[in-house]
Amino acid sequence: DAKTTQPTSMDCAEGRAANLPCNHSTISGNEYVYWYRQIHSQGPQYIIHGLKNNETNEMASLIITEDRKSSTLILPHATLRDTAVYYCIVRVTNTGNQFYFGTGTSLTVIP
Amino acid sequence: DTAVSQTPKYLVTQMGNDKSIKCEQNLGHDTMYWYKQDSKKFLKIMFSYNNKELIINETVPNRFSPKSPDKAHLNLHINSLELGDSAVYFCASSQSGLAGVYNEQFFGPGTRLTVL
């Protein structure tokens, strides 16, 4: 699976959009981009995933560049409860289901 | 209802002891996993079972032995516990699908193991 690089930490004001970048320059054509987050002392939580089209759900939006070498997770109106570590993962869905988590981005939402 | 549950939540034990952590999922999934998160917060997969059969076994000491009595349960038994085994252990489950069908993993709340 391709490696990803993310900033170590970010801050965001409450109510503003949080934009979390992820670089995955070695991504293969059949690898999906997944985002998970881990709130302190809890298990990771699925947020969203995509292949090449932009995706949106009730939690977030995922913007993938045309060359698929990077993506951005957008939390449109960050709340204090969004403070967490956000993991960007790229993987092929049919390779045994394993996810390889990197170091992620620690997002702090500031009141 | 808790989708993926683990017991116990906390486990404190002495070096050399043998302990087990239990995991149950009520989502009807056919695949279950164990992850280890160390003190540096790095989350690493250990094992994966699909329909009670081992499909992933990362480089994990053979002191760790997963057991899946049925699709809804995946227990982790650890023999001769060492200080380095101290970590948070997460169980997860997912439903396998055809290529191109996403299969997100649902994680349990974790078990914090402390070896003294």
Side-chain angles (χ1 to χ4, degrees), chain B residues 3-112:
Chain B
V4 182
S5 59
Q6 296 179 227
T7 53
K9 189 168 175 60
Y10 299 96
L11 184 54
V12 181
T13 188
Q14 300 285 336
M15 269 175 46
N17 284 349
D18 303 337
K19 290 294 178 184
S20 292
I21 306 172
K22 295 185 177 181
C23 177
E24 177 181 3
Q25 54 95 3
N26 62 7
L27 298 167
H29 290 163
D30 62 0
T31 307
M32 296 185 72
Y33 316 79
W34 278 108
Y35 287 83
K36 178 182 180 181
Q37 188 167 42
D38 58 25
S39 57
K40 296 182 180 178
K41 303 296 185 183
F42 191 67
L43 192 64
K44 187 175 181 181
I45 190 163
M46 301 172 67
F47 300 101
S48 173
Y49 269 72
N50 178 262
N51 285 313
K52 302 194 299 175
E53 291 191 14
L54 181 67
I55 57 170
I56 297 172
N57 183 353
E58 295 291 311
T59 307
V60 176
N62 57 15
R63 298 182 295 104
F64 290 79
S65 53
K67 285 189 172 50
S68 181
D70 54 59
K71 287 198 300 183
H73 296 84
L74 181 62
N75 304 322
L76 183 64
H77 188 75
I78 315 170
N79 289 326
S80 303
L81 278 156
E82 301 177 356
L83 294 177
D85 297 332
S86 295
V88 181
Y89 292 83
F90 288 100
C91 177
S93 74
S94 70
Q95 180 61 38
S96 62
L98 298 174
V101 176
Y102 80 91
N103 40 19
E104 72 210 60
Q105 294 185 8
F106 293 80
F107 284 79
T111 296
R112 182 174 293 277

Side-chain angles (χ1 to χ4, degrees), chain A residues 32 36 38 49 93 97 99, chain B residues 33 37 58 100 102-103 105:
Chain A
Y32 285 70
Y36 278 73
Q38 187 174 22
H49 82 289
T93 57
N97 289 324
F99 282 90
Chain B
Y33 316 79
Q37 188 167 42
E58 295 291 311
Y102 80 91
N103 40 19
Q105 294 185 8

